[in-house]
Amino acid sequence: MKRSIGIIGSGPTALYVLKNIVDNRALISEEIETIYIIEKEAVAGMGMPYSDKYTELCNMSNISSEEIPLLSQSLATWLQQQTTETLEALHIDPNEISETVVYPRLVLGQYFKNEYEHYKGLLEEANIQVKELCNSEVIDIIALETSSGFEIVIQNKNTIQCDTVIIASGHEWINEDNKQTGYFASPWPITKVLPKKGTYDNYTVGILGASLSAFDVVSSLSRRHGHFKKQGSEIEYIPDAHTKDFNIVMHDFNGWLPHLQYEQKEPLREVYRHVTKNVLLDVLDENGFLGLDSYFNKVCKPALRKALYKDDLLDVVAKLKNDDFGFLDFVDIMTEKHEYPDPFKGMEKELKEARNAMKKEQPIYWKEVIDDLMYTLNFHAELLAAEDHYIFNKEVMPFLLNVIAAMPLESAKIMLALHKKGKLSLKKGAVKVLPQKSDDVKETFIEVENEKIAYRKFITCSGQKSISLDNFPFQSLVTSGKTRAARSKVASIKKMYSLMEEEHQFNLIKNKKSWYLKLSGIDVSANFKLIDVTGKEVPNAYDLSFTHTSGLRPYSFGLQSCELTSRIVVADFINTFNKKGTLAS
């Protein structure tokens, strides 16, 4: 008897699942009769960051066509096939379409929708029925006791039963806005943080964060209070009349602005570009752990020395030759190269350097290499001891996010134009949002380095955080024991205690003779199967959502990770058929 698959979500992760199923349709069509695609929004195939419900045309992506894992055609190829009217609506010059250009998020949404429909059609041709359910929010998943299947519970609609469930949902914002105090827990949809038509935010707006989503807010808000004028290769901001008091303050813990888009020799990441799997496994210690220091010394250092030599960063090359120069030392020295007394002057300097490098098609090799190396580590993160998970998340990830989530050069020009007109500034320090003391308060109060600041509008743009088990959206899987909190085994409890601040030690769990560190999110296997409370894989249940799994695999963001996780899941799914055959290459 043929089986069915239920895919929750229809954004890029689901799209790449469909693509990998299509690539193996000859085998899969013998086993699968129906695929349900369940999407909570009215339109399927785009994904939240690329939908006109959540974003607008001035909100840029940070990935070029050549960096998007290939679907049936590249983004640039698809754009070249569009009508003049379509391109005009998207503000695209047909003569400037390129594989290296970064386009608005809405452009990617249109492209993904086209590819989604293409793969749906190929599945139908392979006699796999695709049943798409839009305006259908999944509120629970129940593991059936009488079979290995699942019941998918949809709000205000009939349930669906399927044999395999693939969770491919995207962003989840669990905190609530407070419109009375002007507090926004996320910037999405972008329209909610903008002033009503004909009005202005003629005051200081606060933003928590200084990365790409923060820039989306900066870009949209500034256009409601003025316009940008091109002066050759430069951009000038012209404020509207009566917006004298409008300005934006971004808050960042480290006082960093993002690194800028850079030329790449290898735009697509590979897990085993700098190390083979066998060599990587040889690095494991006697207890089976992949030590962060060992990984850096034996895998990262040789690759980084070559890259940094090409980048003419010979001072760092010399330090990498020292045995006692570790991963955190590397983070510190590369961070220092990006730290400036005035971050905007630093961005201006780096913008000139980036433009010159782009003109010469000169890659920044070390950024490419560190991205690859962290990609490798991420997809073997189950081998890290809890101590290294803790260090990686606390000390390394902030640096990596600042480097790899690179800002397009045009976006940097906009930030600089706003700063020059006194409309944008950056404040360093940890931000604490203070509780609302009374019901009649109409401002959000924050504390930064013992300074109390009030904002009539304050928008959290600090990125998507991994959820806790209590906030996992499909609670029947929790109560039935089919999923558990992500965790990592502790190698030395004494070292773990010395690393952790006392208030966080409640995250340590003792199981028989071993200690574990509870991570954020839920536990999944290397094949992204759910792990139950006994530590076993749950058959036919996969979770690819970064929101759910980033505690265990913190470097799983971006479209390239969507593609690889989808490929891993479909390969594992095929193996359950008990037939010979592997994924199409």
Side-chain angles (χ1 to χ4, degrees):
M1 183 176 174
K2 287 191 174 184
R3 297 185 282 177
S4 60
I5 302 173
I7 301 175
I8 299 170
S10 70
T13 302
L15 170 59
Y16 282 106
V17 170
L18 296 181
K19 189 256 185 195
N20 281 293
I21 291 174
V22 165
D23 288 347
N24 297 275
R25 57 193 180 275
L27 178 59
I28 292 177
S29 62
E30 294 178 13
E31 299 287 334
I32 297 299
E33 183 176 43
T34 306
I35 296 176
Y36 297 96
I37 301 172
I38 309 159
E39 170 57 55
K40 70 177 181 180
E41 302 295 346
V43 179
M46 289 186 176
M48 185 281 283
Y50 312 103
S51 161
D52 61 5
K53 178 179 175 180
Y54 289 91
T55 188
E56 57 182 0
L57 204 53
C58 67
N59 300 144
M60 300 299 291
S61 70
N62 72 323
I63 188 168
S64 63
S65 176
E66 66 177 358
E67 295 173 88
I68 300 173
L70 192 61
L71 293 160
S72 73
Q73 59 187 335
S74 73
L75 170 60
T77 301
W78 175 78
L79 282 171
Q80 287 165 349
Q81 298 168 0
Q82 303 311 300
T83 64
T84 302
E85 291 76 19
T86 297
L87 294 175
E88 283 179 0
L90 295 171
H91 298 180
I92 293 174
D93 184 339
N95 298 314
E96 295 182 2
I97 294 171
S98 166
E99 292 287 349
T100 59
V101 170
V102 173
Y103 292 99
R105 294 181 194 227
L106 289 180
V107 175
L108 271 67
Q110 296 290 328
Y111 165 65
F112 290 143
K113 174 66 172 173
N114 179 81
E115 292 297 298
Y116 170 80
E117 296 296 340
H118 170 75
Y119 286 113
K120 269 176 55 185
L122 291 179
L123 288 169
E124 295 282 2
E125 290 175 12
N127 294 317
I128 299 175
Q129 187 178 16
V130 179
K131 294 187 177 181
E132 181 187 284
L133 291 85
C134 291
N135 292 312
S136 300
E137 183 175 1
V138 176
I139 56 174
D140 207 358
I141 300 171
I142 301 168
L144 299 174
E145 295 181 6
T146 55
S147 69
S148 60
F150 301 88
E151 186 173 74
I152 299 174
V153 182
I154 302 172
Q155 191 169 36
N156 300 324
K157 292 189 178 182
N158 294 333
T159 61
I160 292 170
Q161 287 193 8
C162 59
D163 300 287
T164 296
V165 64
I166 299 175
I167 301 168
S169 52
H171 295 72
E172 293 173 25
W173 310 106
I174 58 175
N175 295 324
E176 293 185 359
D177 300 336
N178 185 336
K179 290 184 179 180
Q180 180 180 310
T181 64
Y183 174 79
F184 296 91
S186 86
W188 312 116
I190 195 75
T191 50
K192 76 179 182 181
V193 304
L194 304 177
K196 292 179 181 178
K197 191 172 182 180
T199 67
Y200 295 112
D201 291 338
N202 221 353
Y203 46 80
T204 300
V205 176
I207 295 177
L208 178 58
S211 59
L212 300 176
S213 58
F215 176 72
D216 287 334
V217 174
V218 169
S219 180
S220 291
L221 267 180
S222 60
R223 284 174 167 83
R224 298 311 191 278
H225 297 82
H227 66 278
F228 293 93
K229 182 179 178 182
K230 281 206 168 187
Q231 303 278 5
S233 63
E234 303 303 316
I235 294 175
E236 182 185 2
Y237 182 64
I238 312 296
D240 285 351
H242 314 299
T243 62
K244 178 183 175 184
D245 294 326
F246 164 73
N247 69 96
I248 300 170
V249 177
M250 299 183 296
H251 291 266
D252 180 72
F253 177 79
N254 294 297
W256 295 342
L257 292 174
H259 281 248
L260 301 182
Q261 180 191 3
Y262 54 95
E263 185 76 18
Q264 300 184 67
K265 183 181 178 183
E266 303 286 353
L268 295 175
R269 303 281 68 83
E270 288 183 16
V271 173
Y272 296 117
R273 177 170 279 138
H274 299 289
V275 63
T276 66
K277 187 168 186 177
N278 287 337
V279 169
L280 184 65
L281 294 177
D282 285 342
V283 180
L284 302 186
D285 66 19
E286 64 275 9
N287 296 313
F289 291 120
L290 176 62
L292 198 57
D293 287 337
S294 297
Y295 181 71
F296 184 72
N297 289 329
K298 296 178 181 178
V299 179
C300 300
K301 277 187 173 181
L304 284 169
R305 280 198 297 263
K306 291 178 185 176
L308 289 158
Y309 183 82
K310 292 178 183 177
D311 292 328
D312 201 27
L313 292 171
L314 302 184
D315 58 325
V316 190
V317 174
K319 289 185 180 296
L320 284 167
K321 291 177 180 178
N322 298 331
D323 291 340
D324 60 351
F325 186 79
F327 200 170
L328 298 186
D329 297 315
F330 176 76
V331 168
D332 286 343
I333 196 170
M334 300 314 287
T335 296
E336 286 173 14
K337 291 181 179 294
H338 182 65
E339 284 188 327
Y340 304 94
D342 182 338
F344 288 95
K345 285 185 178 177
M347 176 174 270
E348 195 167 14
K349 171 181 171 288
E350 292 186 3
L351 179 60
K352 290 176 184 176
E353 293 169 352
R355 285 158 77 175
N356 289 335
M358 288 280 191
K359 286 177 184 176
K360 297 175 183 177
E361 297 184 351
Q362 176 66 41
I364 300 178
Y365 291 98
W366 79 265
K367 292 184 180 182
E368 268 189 62
V369 168
I370 197 69
D371 200 6
D372 265 330
L373 291 167
M374 295 305 100
Y375 202 60
T376 303
L377 184 64
N378 182 71
F379 285 95
H380 297 87
E382 70 278 2
L383 301 173
L384 292 176
E387 296 91 320
D388 283 333
H389 264 288
Y390 186 83
I391 292 168
F392 186 80
N393 278 287
K394 185 177 181 181
E395 306 289 346
V396 181
M397 276 302 295
F399 161 75
L400 294 174
L401 289 171
N402 188 259
V403 172
I404 303 306
M407 175 173 281
L409 304 192
E410 288 300 308
S411 301
K413 290 180 186 179
I414 286 171
M415 290 189 84
L416 291 171
L418 288 165
H419 179 67
K420 285 176 182 175
K421 286 294 172 79
K423 297 298 183 181
L424 181 65
S425 60
L426 178 67
K427 191 173 182 66
K428 179 180 178 179
V431 171
K432 180 181 179 183
V433 179
L434 301 175
Q436 182 180 345
K437 289 186 176 179
S438 65
D439 293 338
D440 59 352
V441 172
K442 294 187 178 179
E443 292 176 309
T444 295
F445 289 89
I446 67 169
E447 189 175 270
V448 184
E449 307 291 330
N450 296 320
E451 178 188 359
K452 193 174 179 182
I453 306 170
Y455 286 109
R456 288 172 61 181
K457 182 178 285 185
F458 187 79
I459 307 155
T460 298
C461 301
S462 52
Q464 177 71 73
K465 301 292 188 296
S466 192
I467 62 164
S468 68
L469 196 64
D470 290 341
N471 291 320
F472 185 64
F474 315 119
Q475 279 295 303
S476 288
L477 291 175
V478 178
T479 56
S480 64
K482 296 297 183 184
T483 191
R484 68 179 187 179
R487 63 200 60 198
S488 179
K489 192 174 182 180
V490 175
S492 165
I493 190 62
K494 286 185 178 178
K495 182 181 179 183
M496 194 73 248
Y497 272 125
S498 70
L499 286 172
M500 298 183 77
E501 297 172 10
E502 199 169 311
E503 63 265 29
H504 294 302
Q505 290 179 5
F506 67 88
N507 284 322
L508 291 170
I509 310 163
K510 190 161 189 186
N511 184 359
K512 296 180 182 178
K513 294 182 179 180
S514 299
W515 283 91
Y516 292 84
L517 173 66
K518 187 169 72 171
L519 306 171
S520 57
I522 64 162
D523 210 358
V524 292
S525 70
N527 296 321
F528 293 87
K529 275 197 175 91
L530 296 183
I531 301 293
D532 69 16
V533 290
T534 69
K536 295 178 182 177
E537 291 184 350
V538 178
N540 306 319
Y542 300 92
D543 196 331
L544 286 72
S545 171
F546 173 69
T547 311
H548 303 163
T549 64
S550 60
L552 190 62
R553 302 191 185 282
Y555 207 70
S556 291
F557 49 83
L559 295 172
Q560 297 189 19
S561 183
C562 288
E563 190 281 326
L564 180 55
T565 53
S566 302
R567 192 165 10 122
I568 290 169
V569 165
V570 174
D572 186 75
F573 178 65
I574 287 173
N575 289 337
T576 66
F577 296 164
N578 294 320
K579 289 184 177 181
K580 291 182 180 178
T582 57
L583 266 177
S585 59

